Amino acid sequence: MHRDPEANFVWLRDRLPKDMPTIRPIIYGYDTQLVKSESVQTIDDLAISFITRLKSIGRALLSAKPLIIVTHSLGGMLLRNALIHMASSGDQETCMLRSIVMIISFGVPSRGMHMSHLQPMVEGQPNQDLVKFLSPDSDDLLSLSQQSSNIAIRHKIRLISAYETKRCRTTQVYSPHAHLISFAELMYL
């Protein structure tokens, strides 16, 4: 398959429906800006917003079709938090949780990320705590991973995780002595 490198190609939107015409992909996004961010959202805020969006598109109905969720990076942590909220909330949320049959995660920092290159980008900003949450020594992150894994097991949700095995150029940090940081260097798996 050839595509214009300048094109706005999103495989979930542009390719997957052609390869699997019986599915309905839905893309959910949220603010991930690090530098000069004014966002005060926590991982809880992001998870609750996600659950609200699922409700608004009818995912809380008993007749809702099975749901397969594909996550990437922080989206995986957002989803883990959403699972905990769904498991401890009302009937609609429980119904949504029961409809999830599989979660496919790409590059989700379940055990944290090296933060030395990200902390200077967010120092003094409202999103500083969200970035600290992702550090390898975060007790909250460990608890989130354990609780959400237990929920997935209890609800028989199939979990599939994928991650980079080779270094690649993905994140750039601008400084007077700018250099590239590979995704593999930032993650603990």
Side-chain angles (χ1 to χ4, degrees), residues 96-155:
M96 285 190 298
L97 184 58
R98 287 185 184 136
S99 74
I100 300 171
V101 294
M102 183 183 300
I103 298 170
I104 304 169
S105 300
F106 294 93
V108 174
S110 299
R111 294 184 185 163
M113 297 171 56
H114 293 289
M115 305 307 291
S116 60
H117 292 87
L118 296 177
Q119 287 170 334
M121 297 169 128
V122 298
E123 191 171 334
Q125 294 179 177
N127 63 345
Q128 179 175 315
D129 289 337
L130 182 59
V131 172
K132 282 183 183 176
F133 168 79
L134 296 171
S135 72
D137 58 350
S138 169
D139 291 335
D140 292 332
L141 180 69
L142 178 62
S143 175
L144 178 70
S145 293
Q146 289 173 340
Q147 287 180 57
S148 60
S149 292
N150 290 340
I151 290 166
I153 291 167
R154 190 168 44 250
H155 288 274

Side-chain angles (χ1 to χ4, degrees), residues 28 32 34 68 70 90 119-120 126 142 156 159 166 182 186:
Y28 178 79
T32 59
L34 287 179
I68 297 172
V70 179
Q119 287 170 334
L142 178 62
K156 297 181 176 137
L159 301 175
K166 293 183 181 180
S182 78
L186 293 175

